[in-house]
Amino acid sequence: MTITHESGIDIGTLRAKDIQMAATADLSRRTLLISGAIDVNSHDIVVTFELPEPGRWQVIKSESNLTDLPWLTWQMTCDENTRFVADADAQIVSRQFAQTFMTPDQDRITFYDGEVRPGEAVLKMFTIEASSKRTVISHARFVPPPAEVPGTSPQQPQKPTQPVKQRLAEQIRSSVENGMPPRPAIELFIPVTLITG
Protein backbone atom coordinates (compact mmCIF):
# COMPACT_ATOMS: atom_id res chain seq x y z
CA MET A 1 0.00 0.00 0.00
CA THR A 2 1.28 3.47 -0.88
CA ILE A 3 0.43 6.49 1.24
CA THR A 4 0.45 9.83 -0.53
CA HIS A 5 0.88 13.02 1.49
CA GLU A 6 -0.67 16.20 0.18
CA SER A 7 2.32 18.19 1.41
CA GLY A 8 5.92 17.20 2.02
CA ILE A 9 6.84 15.75 5.39
CA ASP A 10 8.89 18.09 7.57
CA ILE A 11 11.64 15.65 8.49
CA GLY A 12 12.76 17.83 11.38
CA THR A 13 9.49 17.19 13.22
CA LEU A 14 9.44 13.40 12.94
CA ARG A 15 10.60 11.68 16.10
CA ALA A 16 9.84 8.39 17.77
CA LYS A 17 8.70 8.75 21.36
CA ASP A 18 8.44 6.37 24.31
CA ILE A 19 10.43 3.67 22.57
CA GLN A 20 10.66 0.49 24.59
CA MET A 21 13.68 -1.76 24.41
CA ALA A 22 13.57 -5.42 23.41
CA ALA A 23 15.97 -8.34 23.87
CA THR A 24 16.72 -11.76 22.45
CA ALA A 25 18.54 -14.46 24.44
CA ASP A 26 20.45 -17.32 22.83
CA LEU A 27 20.65 -19.95 25.55
CA SER A 28 23.14 -22.20 23.76
CA ARG A 29 25.64 -19.35 23.24
CA ARG A 30 24.78 -17.57 26.52
CA THR A 31 24.34 -14.33 24.57
CA LEU A 32 21.82 -11.56 25.18
CA LEU A 33 21.08 -8.98 22.44
CA ILE A 34 19.35 -5.76 23.59
CA SER A 35 18.31 -2.83 21.41
CA GLY A 36 16.25 0.31 21.78
CA ALA A 37 16.49 4.09 21.91
CA ILE A 38 16.71 6.92 24.42
CA ASP A 39 15.08 10.31 23.84
CA VAL A 40 15.83 12.07 27.14
CA ASN A 41 19.03 13.29 28.78
CA SER A 42 17.64 14.52 32.11
CA HIS A 43 17.00 11.03 33.54
CA ASP A 44 18.89 7.83 34.19
CA ILE A 45 17.46 4.78 32.42
CA VAL A 46 16.94 1.76 34.70
CA VAL A 47 16.31 -1.43 32.75
CA THR A 48 15.05 -4.72 34.18
CA PHE A 49 15.10 -7.99 32.25
CA GLU A 50 14.60 -11.67 33.03
CA LEU A 51 17.43 -13.95 31.92
CA PRO A 52 16.47 -17.49 30.86
CA GLU A 53 18.66 -18.70 33.73
CA PRO A 54 21.26 -17.24 36.12
CA GLY A 55 24.97 -17.40 35.35
CA ARG A 56 27.40 -15.85 32.94
CA TRP A 57 26.04 -13.99 29.91
CA GLN A 58 27.66 -12.09 27.04
CA VAL A 59 25.61 -8.94 26.44
CA ILE A 60 25.52 -7.01 23.17
CA LYS A 61 23.58 -3.80 23.65
CA SER A 62 22.68 -0.91 21.35
CA GLU A 63 20.68 2.27 21.97
CA SER A 64 20.03 5.10 19.51
CA ASN A 65 20.55 8.68 20.67
CA LEU A 66 17.27 10.42 19.86
CA THR A 67 18.23 13.54 21.82
CA ASP A 68 19.69 16.76 20.44
CA LEU A 69 22.99 16.52 22.35
CA PRO A 70 25.99 14.15 22.22
CA TRP A 71 26.73 11.58 24.92
CA LEU A 72 30.39 11.84 25.99
CA THR A 73 30.41 8.90 28.43
CA TRP A 74 28.17 5.92 29.10
CA GLN A 75 27.91 4.48 32.61
CA MET A 76 26.23 1.22 33.67
CA THR A 77 25.66 0.15 37.28
CA CYS A 78 24.47 -3.34 38.30
CA ASP A 79 22.08 -4.41 41.01
CA GLU A 80 23.26 -6.43 44.02
CA ASN A 81 22.69 -9.77 42.23
CA THR A 82 24.80 -8.96 39.18
CA ARG A 83 28.45 -8.19 38.51
CA PHE A 84 30.38 -7.27 35.40
CA VAL A 85 33.05 -9.81 34.47
CA ALA A 86 36.64 -8.65 34.07
CA ASP A 87 38.58 -11.85 33.36
CA ALA A 88 40.66 -12.57 30.26
CA ASP A 89 37.71 -14.11 28.37
CA ALA A 90 35.38 -11.16 28.90
CA GLN A 91 35.12 -8.60 26.11
CA ILE A 92 34.33 -5.06 27.26
CA VAL A 93 34.23 -2.86 24.17
CA SER A 94 32.23 -0.12 22.50
CA ARG A 95 32.33 1.06 18.90
CA GLN A 96 32.05 4.72 19.95
CA PHE A 97 34.26 4.81 23.05
CA ALA A 98 37.96 3.98 23.08
CA GLN A 99 38.37 3.36 26.82
CA THR A 100 36.55 1.66 29.68
CA PHE A 101 36.78 1.87 33.46
CA MET A 102 35.46 -0.75 35.88
CA THR A 103 35.25 -0.28 39.64
CA PRO A 104 37.12 -2.84 41.81
CA ASP A 105 33.82 -4.29 43.08
CA GLN A 106 32.78 -4.82 39.43
CA ASP A 107 29.39 -3.18 39.82
CA ARG A 108 30.04 -0.19 37.54
CA ILE A 109 31.48 0.18 34.02
CA THR A 110 32.05 3.51 32.31
CA PHE A 111 32.78 3.83 28.60
CA TYR A 112 34.57 7.07 27.68
CA ASP A 113 36.98 8.79 25.25
CA GLY A 114 34.51 9.16 22.42
CA GLU A 115 30.99 10.37 21.72
CA VAL A 116 27.58 9.27 20.52
CA ARG A 117 26.13 12.01 18.36
CA PRO A 118 22.41 12.73 17.96
CA GLY A 119 20.89 10.11 15.68
CA GLU A 120 23.74 7.64 16.21
CA ALA A 121 23.47 4.26 17.95
CA VAL A 122 25.92 3.32 20.71
CA LEU A 123 27.08 -0.30 20.54
CA LYS A 124 28.57 -2.04 23.59
CA MET A 125 29.72 -5.55 24.44
CA PHE A 126 30.26 -6.75 28.01
CA THR A 127 29.85 -9.84 30.17
CA ILE A 128 27.78 -10.21 33.33
CA GLU A 129 27.58 -12.84 36.07
CA ALA A 130 24.06 -12.96 37.50
CA SER A 131 23.06 -14.89 40.62
CA SER A 132 19.35 -14.53 39.80
CA LYS A 133 17.31 -14.43 36.61
CA ARG A 134 16.00 -10.91 37.22
CA THR A 135 18.71 -8.36 36.40
CA VAL A 136 18.60 -4.58 36.85
CA ILE A 137 21.15 -2.26 35.24
CA SER A 138 21.06 1.53 35.54
CA HIS A 139 22.36 3.66 32.66
CA ALA A 140 23.68 7.22 32.89
CA ARG A 141 25.20 9.44 30.24
CA PHE A 142 27.44 12.49 30.57
CA VAL A 143 25.96 15.19 28.35
CA PRO A 144 27.67 18.58 27.93
CA PRO A 145 25.66 21.71 28.69
CA PRO A 146 23.94 22.91 25.49
CA ALA A 147 25.86 26.20 25.65
CA GLU A 148 29.13 24.27 25.31
CA VAL A 149 28.14 22.16 22.30
CA PRO A 150 29.70 23.79 19.25
CA GLY A 151 27.53 24.55 16.25
CA THR A 152 24.18 24.31 18.04
CA SER A 153 23.45 27.98 17.38
CA PRO A 154 24.69 30.57 14.87
CA GLN A 155 26.64 32.37 17.60
CA GLN A 156 28.71 29.34 18.54
CA PRO A 157 31.85 28.22 16.68
CA GLN A 158 31.84 24.89 14.85
CA LYS A 159 34.74 23.61 16.98
CA PRO A 160 34.98 23.79 20.77
CA THR A 161 37.45 26.29 22.17
CA GLN A 162 40.41 25.11 24.25
CA PRO A 163 38.84 26.22 27.60
CA VAL A 164 35.65 24.32 26.75
CA LYS A 165 37.66 21.21 25.78
CA GLN A 166 39.61 21.38 29.03
CA ARG A 167 36.49 21.90 31.17
CA LEU A 168 34.71 18.97 29.50
CA ALA A 169 37.79 16.74 29.88
CA GLU A 170 37.90 17.49 33.63
CA GLN A 171 34.18 16.78 34.02
CA ILE A 172 34.51 13.50 32.11
CA ARG A 173 37.52 12.44 34.20
CA SER A 174 35.59 13.13 37.40
CA SER A 175 32.53 11.20 36.19
CA VAL A 176 34.69 8.21 35.24
CA GLU A 177 36.62 8.11 38.53
CA ASN A 178 33.80 8.99 40.93
CA GLY A 179 30.73 7.83 39.04
CA MET A 180 27.86 10.01 37.96
CA PRO A 181 25.46 11.13 40.69
CA PRO A 182 22.04 9.48 40.45
CA ARG A 183 19.30 11.47 38.75
CA PRO A 184 15.57 10.89 38.47
CA ALA A 185 15.08 7.59 36.67
CA ILE A 186 12.90 6.19 33.93
CA GLU A 187 12.28 2.49 34.57
CA LEU A 188 11.88 0.06 31.68
CA PHE A 189 11.11 -3.64 31.70
CA ILE A 190 12.70 -5.31 28.68
CA PRO A 191 10.87 -8.32 27.26
CA VAL A 192 13.28 -11.15 26.37
CA THR A 193 12.59 -13.55 23.52
CA LEU A 194 14.36 -16.90 23.91
CA ILE A 195 16.10 -18.53 20.94
CA THR A 196 16.40 -22.28 21.22
CA GLY A 197 17.90 -24.92 19.00
Side-chain angles (χ1 to χ4, degrees), residues 23-88:
T24 301
D26 185 332
L27 188 56
S28 63
R29 293 180 176 86
R30 309 288 292 187
T31 301
L32 184 69
L33 307 173
I34 302 175
S35 65
I38 295 174
D39 63 1
V40 63
N41 285 323
S42 57
H43 289 66
D44 291 342
I45 309 297
V46 179
V47 298
T48 301
F49 51 88
E50 293 275 346
L51 295 166
E53 58 186 41
R56 183 175 173 133
W57 287 85
Q58 176 75 46
V59 182
I60 302 170
K61 200 165 183 293
S62 177
E63 291 94 352
S64 295
N65 181 356
L66 296 185
T67 76
D68 297 323
L69 295 170
W71 300 333
L72 301 185
T73 67
W74 185 280
Q75 173 183 289
M76 295 183 295
T77 307
C78 291
D79 65 6
E80 64 276 6
N81 299 315
T82 310
R83 286 294 171 264
F84 295 108
V85 178
D87 62 27

